[in-house]
Amino acid sequence: MPDTAQRWRRIETLFHRASAMPAGERTAFLERECGEDTELRRTVDDLMQSDSDSAVLEKAIAVEARHAVDDVQPGEIFGAFRLEELLGRGGMGAVYRAVRIDQEFRQQVAIKLVRSHLRAEDWTRRFLRERQILARLNHPYIARLLDGGSLNGRPYFVMEYVDGVTADTYVQQHSLSVRDRIGLFQKVCQAVSYAHGQLVVHRDIKPQNILVQAGGNPKLLDFGIAKPLEEDEDGALTNASQRVLTPQYAAPEQVLGQPITTATDVYALGALLYALLTSHAPFDTSGLSGFALEKAICDQDPPPPGTLVKLDPDIDAIVARAMRKEPAQRYSSVAALEADLARWLGGYPVEASRGNWQYRARKFLLRRAGAVVAATLVAGSVAAGFASTRIQQQKAERRLEEVRELANRFLFEFHDSIAALPGATQSRQMVVARAIQYLDRLAAETGGDRRLEADLAAGYERIRDIQYGYDFGHLNDVEGAVASAQRAVNLRGKLLAASPKDPATLAAAAKANLGVANLLAETGASLDQAKTYLAEAQRLFAAGARIQPDTLAQLRNDSAVATAAAAIENAAGNGDAAVKAARRAVALQQKAYDTSRDAADVPRLLNSVQMLGDALLLGANLPMDALAEYQRGLQILPLLPAGVPQEMQRSQFVARIGISYAIAGRHKEALPYRRQALELAEVIAARDPKNALTARDLAIACLNAAQNEFKVGSKAEAVRLARRMVVMFEVAMQQSGGSGQSRTDYAAALEDLADYLVRTEGRAEPETLLQKAIALREEIVRQDPQRGVYQSHLAHAWTQFGDCYARWGEPGKAEAMYRKALAAYEKLERDKRINGLDRSDWQRTKENLAKLDTKKK
Amino acid sequence: MKDMGPAVTELLRSWQDGDRAALDQVVEQLYSQLRAVAGQQLGAEREGHTLAATALVHEAYFRLQGNAKVQFNDRKHFLGVAARAMRCILVDYARGRKRQKRDGGQQVTLEDFVAPGNSTHDLLAINTALEKLAAIDPRKVQLLELISFAGATYEEAAALLGISEATVHRDLKFARAWLKSELKGEGG
């Protein structure tokens, strides 16, 4: 149409002419030119206003090009995986379905290519740091992390392939009822709660990160992946953390760049529940950034979900409680949130609405409506009885809630103390002390409620394992653990009296007794008592087996009993009996593993093998036989379940091989094991610098390496390592708050450093060190005269001091030291607390004293 | 822009005469320029982008080569076609992304946080506007394609379209203002 073309040219001409003239003259010019043609005038005005340098087109191209080039093509290989098809794309990257190509079976996985501000090598380093922890997350509702790294500068990670739709889509597609939505949400809570137990925080929970499978079960994606993206090595938030991953679901502390804890996930779960119930995110953050976003999330409360859809006010209260701005005001844990939803589903008063007693009373009446009606029908005579029953029931309910709350708070605080607080070991001691107070108070008045008693017993057992267990974080407080274990035994005994034929109750009681026996063996004290507990455990296991025979369980139980027996005999100095029991334990557990082929049997097998090695080494003084067992342990290690970290176990066996060679006098062969053990200890300690136990392990590795370097002639290296060892033992002593064990360790460290210095340096420093060590040891023995091991250490220190004086040419002082040592060894023998090593030390002391006499003559 | 010389023209002629390998050589010669274009478009937002930009150029090349109907008269023609191809590729991607978003799909997670002021217009909306503009004034669309999608210089665009550089300036100014005003009306 010529008209259109003409008009277009006219518009163009006016635009250019107007643009060319000074701004003040434009209006008059356009008025004159356009006249009555208001549409022409408006078009040109629009164009003039739009005339700027802003490159709209270039920006759009840049965005699209970035997406385009970040894409990869099906068929590309990532590590052991080949990409098959694009599943989806988000701002932070694209996700592909892929298959494993290095295996015969066709394993489908999802590969996420991460787009991040991080350079590929930074991502890879951070990711690898987290990978071991994340790979250990093994829960039916968590998509497993399989692998990750970077390829051609593209960071990526590999996870389990999940066939499902996102949670928000799922609840809408299936028009789920409120109860069903909450049921789905509770499953998500279980997964998050489990991960918190493994000390992993998700940090980016939202509907899009949860896929629901056809059966209705959820799978959480990207667990813990946000951490390497947000935080650097020191746990400090990186610059990019200002760019919160998903602001609609981000907690205030995330927006403010404050520390992330399990409470952050509690908040996000609250926001998730909000979204699942209302189909809206709690905050509309589109177009907000910086201060405005911060203000919205930190200052404003979202409209209660009940204002968007029809909901019980209790649900509003639950969501609000989870989404409190202050982390401490939220549910103390995910489990507490889930429990409150369970209360709501069951018609019980919810925690979130507590404080309003009228509300509580109304709710109580509502739930008991049926019972009240039934009771009034019977009337009169029964009324009194009914009232008292109800009071009892209320009392029990309150208790159970208290216990559950305690357990929840405990998990929360425990996690917190490991993750954030300075002096982790001391914080955990504080938490444990408080937990024991709670448990003791509740145990005093259970009113015979069996459920409560069972909860309390489990509580004490958990505390016991934290005080002294096989986990990495235990407090090395063996006496405290014995006390907790005995309380658990008492409660288990009560429960057993009530149901003496129940297999589960029998097994629980047997295990509780076994726990005390093992701990007493560790202390080296009250060994007769240990045997009594062990006999009881054996009796209960047997009773259980008669009621419910189970060959595999019997093999495992018998092996556990034999291992404990070996530990007790070893502590009692009966090397041969210890070896015999340990051999039996290994044989039984090996049979159990051969029968089950269950990876869960591997840690048990390792435990019994290590016990046998220890019995051979310490009890029977047969280092080369022990060494063979430790080597066997190393061979078993790779059978551990996938995802179980092996460093800790490996370091135990490697260190013991070093010790065995050293005791056998084969120092050159020991050296590589010593060095390897030291490396492993460094790795483990660096991971958790505030842990007293790993600091101690590192100190011991230093000690062993120092000894070995000295023996092969590297004296300067030995002294360097010995000084490091003293420092690490001091760290361990401080971190553990100065427990008996840690002071003993420190004294031994001083003695060892003195030993090296005596041979390389002068006399002043070693003499001071030894005096300090002996004073410390004497104090320890005074405080705990029942423990033979402290006396044997003191005897050993006296002998050492005697050797020093002999070297310095002071036979009088030397003899006095030797005599003190001899007296101590004699006492140990009288008390039947002497072991193989003590005997050889005793012998050496006698010989050294004899040499002294020869010299004198 | 550096003079590519008669070699390119000759190669294009050989290619048209049936020597497919000649096209490879042409593209190779234009390659560094195209890569620079892609690099500019992607911006220096992130390190290590060179590889990715190269991938984009490769993609453009494959599309060009795969289309047997395309006949290059000379380098001018090639740049013009490259610009058009880039536009097609990117619009295709934009459509694909939109489709995926609608499907829900698996694991569209870790969404970006887009700050205000940085909000970008959808390339699809821009494409629609460009189609509208092409109906009225195809030369301006060609110009925008050359400058924005293929990264041609003003001088080069002027030569390609047979207009003066001053006209390039004026046309671009007008075309951009029009595009912006059009998008304002569309997007609201």
Side-chain angles (χ1 to χ4, degrees), chain A residues 511-793:
Chain A
K511 281 176 187 160
N513 277 285
L514 186 62
V516 182
N518 269 319
L519 287 167
L520 288 174
E522 283 287 315
T523 66
S526 321
L527 294 175
D528 288 342
Q529 227 188 317
K531 283 183 185 170
T532 311
Y533 278 103
L534 186 62
E536 180 66 3
Q538 209 167 359
R539 187 185 73 77
L540 295 169
F541 276 135
R546 273 196 302 277
I547 294 165
Q548 195 180 70
D550 177 347
T551 317
L552 194 54
Q554 264 169 274
L555 283 171
R556 287 170 181 157
N557 294 340
D558 289 349
S559 172
V561 168
T563 306
I568 294 169
E569 294 297 354
N570 207 31
N574 302 327
D576 293 341
V579 170
K580 203 176 151 204
R583 282 200 197 287
R584 186 173 135 75
V586 171
L588 287 164
Q589 186 52 54
Q590 181 72 54
K591 203 170 165 195
Y593 177 69
D594 291 343
T595 313
S596 73
R597 288 283 154 198
D598 182 352
D601 270 316
V602 176
R604 297 190 189 105
L605 184 56
L606 280 170
N607 187 36
S608 60
V609 168
Q610 190 177 313
M611 185 65 240
L612 176 54
D614 290 358
L616 288 164
L617 184 68
L618 303 171
N621 204 4
L622 295 169
M624 296 320 285
D625 293 16
L627 189 136
E629 295 304 325
Y630 297 140
Q631 293 281 17
R632 179 176 169 192
L634 281 184
Q635 282 162 10
I636 298 169
L637 269 184
L639 301 177
L640 278 171
V644 170
Q646 297 184 5
E647 277 113 330
M648 200 74 87
Q649 295 261 26
R650 180 174 299 279
S651 72
Q652 296 282 336
F653 283 103
V654 168
R656 281 167 158 83
I657 291 172
I659 295 169
S660 305
Y661 272 125
I663 290 180
R666 295 161 71 162
H667 301 289
K668 281 223 171 66
E669 287 154 286
L671 197 57
Y673 289 98
R674 302 295 213 188
R675 287 182 179 155
Q676 199 192 335
L678 182 58
E679 276 168 34
L680 285 165
E682 295 273 13
V683 170
I684 295 164
R687 228 182 266 151
D688 191 8
K690 280 161 189 157
N691 187 324
L693 207 59
T694 54
R696 177 175 186 262
D697 288 343
L698 175 54
I700 290 171
C702 286
L703 160 78
N704 289 330
Q707 266 177 4
N708 219 119
E709 296 289 355
F710 191 88
K711 296 279 189 191
V712 299
S714 318
K715 298 197 168 145
E717 179 64 6
V719 169
R720 187 188 72 77
L721 287 166
R723 288 194 190 277
R724 174 115 204 273
M725 159 195 75
V726 169
V727 170
M728 289 316 297
F729 273 126
E730 203 174 352
V731 167
M733 185 167 73
Q734 281 158 2
Q735 294 293 358
S736 71
S739 71
Q741 171 78 59
S742 74
R743 286 185 302 158
T744 306
D745 290 342
Y746 184 57
L750 295 170
E751 287 155 15
D752 281 341
L753 180 57
D755 194 33
Y756 295 121
L757 293 174
V758 141
R759 302 181 216 197
T760 54
E761 321 266 325
R763 155 171 184 177
E765 193 184 352
E767 189 173 15
T768 316
L769 288 168
L770 281 175
Q771 279 164 350
K772 195 172 163 188
I774 285 179
L776 191 55
R777 288 206 183 283
E778 284 175 333
E779 187 192 316
I780 295 166
V781 169
R782 257 200 315 280
Q783 283 172 359
D784 193 353
Q786 291 307 308
R787 293 197 39 197
V789 68
Y790 290 161
Q791 291 162 37
S792 101
H793 288 155

Side-chain angles (χ1 to χ4, degrees), chain A residues 8 12 16 51-52 58 62 64 66-67 69 87 89 92 112 162 204 206 208-209 211 221 245, chain B residues 41 45 52 56 94 97 106-113 116 137 140 148 170 173 176 178 180-181:
Chain A
W8 179 252
E12 208 177 341
H16 287 304
D51 182 28
S52 73
E58 277 76 5
E64 215 51 57
R66 216 176 107 163
H67 283 302
V69 299
L87 293 170
R89 211 193 311 252
M92 284 301 285
K112 178 170 267 178
V162 182
D204 195 27
K206 57 182 172 184
Q208 297 84 355
N209 260 343
L211 291 181
L221 312 173
L245 293 173
Chain B
Q41 288 177 346
E45 290 164 84
L56 177 62
R97 289 205 308 124
Q106 186 191 5
Q107 295 147 336
V108 186
T109 57
L110 297 170
E111 285 293 340
D112 243 359
F113 159 48
D137 196 341
K140 289 202 173 55
S148 303
R170 282 163 59 89
K173 186 179 165 70
R176 284 190 165 139
W178 181 86
K180 209 176 163 194
S181 123

Side-chain angles (χ1 to χ4, degrees), chain B residues 96-180:
Chain B
R97 289 205 308 124
K98 199 174 174 184
R99 195 170 50 240
Q100 257 140 18
K101 245 180 188 163
R102 207 177 39 241
D103 292 349
Q106 186 191 5
Q107 295 147 336
V108 186
T109 57
L110 297 170
E111 285 293 340
D112 243 359
F113 159 48
V114 181
N118 276 351
S119 67
T120 46
H121 282 280
D122 184 356
L123 191 67
L124 296 179
I126 290 176
N127 194 50
T128 311
L130 287 178
E131 276 164 13
K132 194 169 161 188
L133 181 60
I136 313 167
D137 196 341
R139 195 182 72 190
K140 289 202 173 55
V141 176
Q142 258 183 300
L143 181 60
L144 281 174
E145 279 178 351
L146 278 169
I147 302 286
S148 303
F149 284 97
T153 62
Y154 285 9
E155 185 189 357
E156 199 176 13
L160 283 168
L161 296 174
I163 54 176
S164 73
E165 258 188 80
T167 309
V168 166
H169 274 278
R170 282 163 59 89
D171 279 6
L172 266 182
K173 186 179 165 70
F174 182 77
R176 284 190 165 139
W178 181 86
L179 193 61
K180 209 176 163 194

Side-chain angles (χ1 to χ4, degrees), chain A residues 484-500:
Chain A
S484 302
Q486 283 169 332
R487 287 179 173 121
V489 164
N490 291 341
L491 286 163
R492 296 276 179 217
K494 278 193 195 177
L495 290 163
L496 190 61
S499 30

